[in-house]
Amino acid sequence: MAKNDPKDIYIHRDISWLDFNERVLEEAEDPANPILERLRFMAIFANNLDEFFMVRVSGVKRLIDAGYNSKDKFGWYPYDLYKVITERTDALSKRLYDLRDRKIMKDLAKNLIFVKRYEELDPEQLKYAKKYFNDTLYPIITPIAVDQGHPFPIILSKSLSFAVELAIYKKKCFAVIIVPQNVPRLIKLPSERDELNYILMEEVMKNNIERFFRGHKLVNKFLFRVIRDSELSVDEEYEEDLLSAIDAEIKKRPRAKVIALEVEKDSSPELLANICESIVFPFEEVTRINNDLDLTYFFEMASLVPMTNLCYKSFVPASIQYGNIFDKMKEGDFIIHLPFQSFKPTVDLVKSASVDPGVLAIKMTLYRTNRDSDIVKALKEAAKNKKQVTVLVEIKARFDEEANIRWARELEESGCHVMYGIPGMKIHSKITLVIRREEDRIRRYVHLSTGNYNEKTASLYTDCGYFTANDDFARDISDVFNVITGYSLPSRWKRIVASPYDLRQYYIELIDKEIESQKSHGNGGIFAKLNSLEDVFIIDKLYEASKAGVKINLLVRGICALVPGVKGLSENISVRSIVGRFLEHSRVFITNNNNDKRIFLSSADWMRRNFDRRIELLFEIYDEKIKDHLKMVMELYWKDDVKARILTAQGKYERAVRGSEPVNAQENLIGLYS
Amino acid sequence: MPKAVIDIGSNSIKLAIGEISGNKVEVIEFLKNIVGLGKSAFYKGVISQEAIQQTVTILRKYKDKLKEYKIAPSEVKVIATTAIREAGNRDIFIDNVQRKTDLKVDILDVGTVSYYIESYFAHKLKSKFAISEETFIIAELGTGGLDISCKEKGYTLFNMSLPIGTLRLASLIGRLGGSLEENMEATADYIDNEFSFLKKNIRDIKIDDVILIDENYARLVQNIIKSGSSGENLYKFTSKEIERMIEKLRDKNFEEISHDYKIPIEIADTILAYAVVLENFCSLIKKGHIHIIDISLSEAVLANMLFDVKLFSELDDMKQLVSEARFVCRKYGLDIEHPEHVARLSGIMFEAMKEYLGLKSDDKKYIILASYLHDIGIFIYNRSHHKHSEYILQYLNFVGLSEEEQKVIACVARYHRRATPQDSHYLYSSLPYDRKILVHKLSAILRITNALDATHKQKVKKFEVVVTKDENFILNVHTNKNFIIEKSEFMLKRDYFREITGSDVTLSIKAG
């Protein structure tokens, strides 16, 4: 094997990501999963793919358009990559729609759930649909004529629109009708039988579209959807007011370059050519879809169908018992493992701090949070109670920028000191610091997490939250806040390691120690759990460790650019990916350390961006009880043979072979904590 | 309750907030920001307005932080060291800072810096290190300079500051332009040369140990020689270990040093120079160690504030100053007998007369130091030696004495002979009114006590001062020696005393 050709030793990150999304699709295909959950997986798949286009494909296209023709770090030329990506995405999209047509709709029908076409409606339903159109849709929709005096309207990324061709006398005219985004896409229809019947809003619009053009002959019509480049191009180095800059950049998004155009299969070529010209998109690259553009409406549908028997068996996250969160933290460090355990202690920490008379200050990073977040409410309350509240809001959190700007302004208005990050860096670490004056001294309480302060995702993502009142931790975290807020330069930290300073180097040194340990004692070992592994420095170091004989087990849920099991390169490395009910999100790193294991938690993946362009934290767990617990959890994950896939030396993912007693780690963990 | 120290250094401004936790200082917050005050002060002589504004901006942020912990202004100390000490426009700097931040800056002299280090060290090691028994050097390696204080049995012998701070060394290495080896050799020569001034001061003094406070390199020495840690923040090295360190660093370039010993690249270029500094310190000690405390000066000051350490609580402040004065006499080759004798007589006169002359007890240290050091100018030249004494004294560095206090001592010493204070005299005229009056009174006393030992033969066995009903003074001198020269000198000096105090002074010679 030519080891110096990156293409031979790395899997391209974009191709690996497509592999991941394929595993998501496999979950939708898996008949063992409840039907509404399969709908959700389809919606996740579709949404993931949209975002992939908006961020990654747009980037590759930009390189091609600029005439850039050099290999990337994985050994790929932009055009070759684009070709492979589009072949894969076309095939995956086809698989998605095949699944819908051949399996999902039939399985839904078996459960008396139907998404009807307009022509399938019974008279009662037809009457309802027409009335819905007249009363709800018609008043809020405005067709837009497109001619020399009327420019083509701005079509938002991911929105649906109709292209319409009219004949006025003998003259052809064009118009566009944008499908409204402020009404539910799925309309529930009346049904006399014991059935659940739905119809898509655009289906109702399509069949009543003549209503908008009375007196004109409607020649052609079809539904289309654009996906636009969503990368923000804020030159942060020179932007003093990052908030305004990001805000302005978001406003430019509706006009950003179109990356993909999806249309209904039977669309008229002439009208389509017209649309392509108007939005500046190559006709030959148009994706034609048979019925229902944009399957993300399955999210809505899975929530609307009131049949819990068609969902995963519900469970109540286990709670930790305590009277006062501060007393609990003083008793000793503890972790909560989401979503198996309740998120409540995290919310309690901020809530209690907001009203506790002894609390002087609260500091927090917020990367993504949910609407009506109790944490945000508590921060506002704290500011009202004259606490010093500092919130570091990462307004550059992708696809959450607009939401983040909104609640960041709310926080500011309530008196919180809101900071918007560091130019060129994303604050990805999840940290909270509460400073409290107690009888004899100042005490500080710290919460660190692998996941976001988001009450919604806390029930869907697996994450570890770490609670501590340890002074060394407190001082380090206090310092991190001072650095991020521009109050100080970093100093020497005792308990944390941070990017972009020395996180990558620290990992490399830890791996080096295992190589040494392997050479001296024959027991080098690494066990890591991550979302993505893409940084070539780390990959090369892992290859080096493998060659030295270090046994490396990696649980990488998403992108994995490392090729395991290759003789002479990575034969001591095994990679597994778990895609299941919950999104695996926790990052855990274990070294054997000459049989005295060291365990770390982190907010960072092993990706270049996490090491170089983000503020991320890694911290070691010293408490033996917590260490034992995390070891047990990691071992359980490794034993999973229900949701685990194994990455082969050929770069393919294969399902693990089930043993006589199959292990589904996530389901086992629900049982373990309850 | 937490307290705070802000340290305005040559290369950075720091804020340390801490409180007592058990018998330790718990530093709750430690903030650091780079401001090149040293660059401005050392190379241009003044601190630029831009650097002053940067300082103000940082101090305002630090005030936010103090607010966060609800720390009252009375619990905050703002200190400044070399850069501000050496800046020609330091008054402008202090005024700007005070007006714009409401923070009062205290410029620390070398003696005060060493006092804080010593008190931290004493507090930290308590009984383990017999400070009051040993002769040792205390030093602080800052970015601007190396502040050094030599101590003997608990008392300071002398203080000095060498211009070999880390910033200065880095700048020196940067501008040399030679090969790596040549640069290192030249830097070592430069450091050796600066140390030669210290060695000249020390001469016959046997140094037991060296205590160095340094927050940049201390912990990194261990990466190179894998030994030396003797507890939290404290490192202890022998001369042999430092030699070994230099050997290991000698033939490596900065990248190799950084890589091989995990030294941050930004200080890898000066760590060899640092090792040469340590080597020079080691050359001063025979058997002992060099102790390095890995904390910042601000933390040492914070510890002092929190524990309210009084290093000399059992010792006399006056003894401390006398110790320094005696060392200066030794250094300038004066026989100690005459100054000691004059100081004894001055002390007696001061105590007897202070109430009548409107003097405060605290003024005694000025007359004592001036008595010890009035003849120091003879080191330069015998003629006009009082003038030489004046400028030497002005530039000496006494623990705990302000610049103005040193000026008072210098003036009192100057006016022990010849002309009396006049406004045309530069140093005298720079003093405020009350200090000028003090100089008159104390120099009047010194003229008399110096006259009583005019022959430098210490003829006065016993000395008493009697106050008459009409507030005149009789000096009872008990002696068996020929006292006519002393008497004649006394007669020449008494007029000035009368002129200043309005009281007459007479001499009564009695058999000893």
Side-chain angles (χ1 to χ4, degrees), chain A residues 143-153 174:
Chain A
I144 304 158
V146 181
D147 55 35
Q148 282 182 337
H150 301 86
F152 197 82
F174 298 99

Side-chain angles (χ1 to χ4, degrees), chain A residues 360-361 363 388 435 437 440-442 444 471 475 478-479 482 485-489 492 494 509, chain B residues 1-2 19 26-34 61 64-65 68-70 215 219 262 294:
Chain A
L360 300 171
K363 299 175 191 199
Q388 300 278 320
I435 302 167
R437 181 185 294 290
D440 54 338
R441 54 172 291 202
I442 299 276
R444 288 174 295 180
D471 281 331
R475 187 171 161 178
S478 199
D479 198 60
N482 290 334
T485 51
Y487 273 62
S488 176
L489 294 172
R492 305 193 300 258
K494 287 184 179 172
E509 283 167 17
Chain B
M1 290 294 278
E19 61 180 1
E26 174 72 35
V27 176
I28 307 168
E29 292 271 4
F30 189 81
L31 276 64
K32 180 178 175 179
N33 287 274
I34 301 289
K61 283 185 177 179
D64 286 347
K65 193 58 64 176
E68 195 171 295
Y69 287 90
K70 296 195 165 69
E215 59 174 322
R219 80 207 142 85
K262 297 192 172 66
D294 176 18

Side-chain angles (χ1 to χ4, degrees), chain A residues 270-284:
Chain A
E270 196 185 343
L271 180 57
L272 180 56
N274 208 318
I275 294 292
C276 285
E277 192 185 329
S278 302
I279 61 169
V280 195
F281 189 81
F283 185 85
E284 58 282 3

Side-chain angles (χ1 to χ4, degrees), chain A residues 517-550:
Chain A
S517 194
Q518 178 66 27
K519 284 177 186 165
S520 325
H521 311 288
N523 61 7
I526 291 163
F527 189 5
K529 181 174 181 295
L530 308 155
N531 298 346
S532 302
L533 166 54
E534 173 257 10
D535 185 79
V536 290
F537 296 100
I538 294 282
I539 293 175
D540 289 349
K541 186 50 81 177
L542 289 170
Y543 285 153
E544 187 189 326
S546 170
K547 285 179 203 165
V550 178

Side-chain angles (χ1 to χ4, degrees), chain B residues 80-122:
Chain B
T81 47
T82 329
I84 313 299
R85 206 192 289 154
E86 292 187 15
N89 62 339
R90 61 181 172 175
D91 296 336
I92 301 289
F93 175 89
I94 288 171
D95 173 65
N96 267 267
V97 168
Q98 187 154 6
R99 272 189 297 112
K100 292 172 182 172
T101 67
D102 224 12
L103 292 168
K104 192 178 170 300
V105 183
D106 189 4
I107 301 174
L108 302 188
D109 55 38
V110 181
T112 315
V113 168
S114 82
Y115 176 85
Y116 282 122
I117 302 167
E118 191 181 348
S119 62
Y120 179 82
F121 194 73

Side-chain angles (χ1 to χ4, degrees), chain B residues 252-493:
Chain B
K252 292 189 188 303
N253 64 32
F254 306 146
E255 282 78 15
E256 287 170 330
I257 289 172
S258 175
H259 178 266
D260 295 356
Y261 303 119
K262 297 192 172 66
I263 310 272
I265 192 75
E266 63 272 19
I267 59 170
D269 57 344
T270 48
I271 194 150
L272 184 58
Y274 175 74
V276 175
V277 170
L278 296 186
E279 187 188 35
N280 268 286
F281 274 129
C282 286
S283 70
L284 304 173
I285 48 178
K286 289 266 153 46
K287 282 192 270 176
H289 291 87
I290 175 159
H291 304 264
I292 309 180
I293 314 171
D294 176 18
I295 60 153
S296 63
L297 178 62
S298 48
E299 285 170 272
V301 177
L302 183 64
N304 187 278
M305 285 170 76
L306 287 166
F307 288 105
D308 199 18
V309 180
K310 286 205 171 47
L311 202 53
F312 303 124
S313 54
E314 292 167 20
L315 303 167
D316 190 349
D317 275 357
M318 184 66 87
K319 281 185 185 167
Q320 170 59 47
L321 289 169
V322 167
S323 163
E324 288 179 68
R326 290 173 66 94
F327 179 78
V328 174
C329 292
R330 236 156 95 189
K331 183 175 159 187
Y332 286 87
L334 289 185
D335 287 335
I336 194 69
E337 290 81 5
H338 170 67
E340 201 165 37
H341 191 71
V342 174
R344 184 171 71 86
L345 301 180
S346 296
I348 293 168
M349 264 185 87
F350 180 90
E351 288 297 338
M353 296 177 174
K354 65 180 181 191
E355 195 185 322
Y356 304 97
L357 302 188
L359 295 166
K360 291 185 281 233
S361 296
D362 205 34
D363 297 333
K364 188 177 179 183
K365 59 181 180 252
Y366 309 133
I367 181 74
I368 296 295
L369 284 183
S371 301
Y372 265 103
L373 301 167
H374 64 279
D375 278 342
I376 199 171
I378 291 171
F379 181 81
I380 306 291
Y381 196 60
N382 192 35
R383 288 184 64 180
S384 297
H385 73 265
H386 56 291
K387 292 183 187 171
H388 303 313
S389 294
E390 184 192 60
Y391 64 73
I392 291 174
L393 279 171
Q394 190 193 341
Y395 290 107
L396 288 178
N397 205 328
F398 292 99
V399 176
L401 291 191
S402 69
E403 198 181 328
E404 194 176 278
E405 287 178 302
Q406 294 206 180
K407 279 187 186 176
V408 169
I409 295 164
C411 286
V412 175
R414 178 194 166 139
Y415 300 118
H416 81 275
R417 68 194 282 264
R418 299 280 174 93
T420 53
Q422 287 164 28
D423 276 337
S424 58
H425 296 164
Y426 161 72
L427 199 64
Y428 168 77
S429 67
S430 72
L431 289 171
Y433 173 75
D434 56 336
R435 295 288 193 178
K436 283 181 176 168
I437 297 296
L438 182 63
V439 168
H440 277 287
K441 291 175 184 171
L442 296 181
S443 57
I445 293 174
L446 180 57
R447 278 172 180 250
I448 286 176
T449 53
N450 189 42
L452 296 180
D453 193 32
T455 56
H456 289 211
K457 295 226 162 103
Q458 296 84 50
K459 293 174 183 169
V460 180
K461 267 190 133 180
K462 197 177 165 193
F463 184 58
E464 294 154 350
V465 179
V466 177
V467 186
T468 64
K469 277 184 189 165
D470 47 0
E471 294 190 3
N472 290 318
F473 304 101
I474 303 165
L475 307 181
N476 289 330
V477 170
H478 298 254
T479 181
N480 292 326
K481 303 268 171 74
N482 179 340
F483 210 66
I484 57 170
I485 289 185
E486 282 79 7
K487 188 180 172 188
S488 147
E489 282 295 312
F490 167 80
M491 297 309 284
L492 292 173
K493 308 293 174 170

Side-chain angles (χ1 to χ4, degrees), chain A residues 138-240:
Chain A
Y138 187 81
I140 60 168
I141 294 167
T142 312
I144 304 158
V146 181
D147 55 35
Q148 282 182 337
H150 301 86
F152 197 82
I154 291 166
I155 310 282
L156 296 178
S157 190
K158 300 211 287 181
S159 67
L160 293 167
S161 308
F162 284 100
V164 181
E165 186 185 340
L166 304 163
I168 303 173
Y169 305 106
K170 282 184 181 171
K171 198 179 153 200
K172 278 186 183 173
C173 294
F174 298 99
V176 169
I177 299 176
I178 296 169
V179 177
Q181 289 185 304
N182 53 353
V183 278
R185 210 174 140 201
L186 212 54
I187 302 163
K188 190 168 183 255
L189 295 166
S191 177
E192 284 186 1
R193 278 169 292 185
D194 195 11
E195 288 175 356
L196 286 168
N197 288 292
Y198 299 95
I199 189 164
L200 284 166
M201 169 179 42
E202 60 267 27
E203 180 74 3
V204 176
M205 280 175 69
K206 190 179 177 182
N207 288 281
N208 291 279
I209 213 157
E210 294 84 353
R211 287 278 317 279
F212 293 110
F213 308 102
R214 282 168 200 261
H216 304 316
K217 191 183 168 201
L218 200 144
V219 183
N220 273 305
K221 63 185 173 191
F222 64 81
L223 192 62
F224 71 94
R225 178 171 177 262
V226 298
I227 293 176
R228 292 182 187 270
D229 185 342
S230 81
E231 276 295 270
L232 300 177
S233 59
V234 175
D235 193 350
E236 296 168 46
E237 296 287 330
Y238 303 101
E239 291 296 347
E240 283 184 8

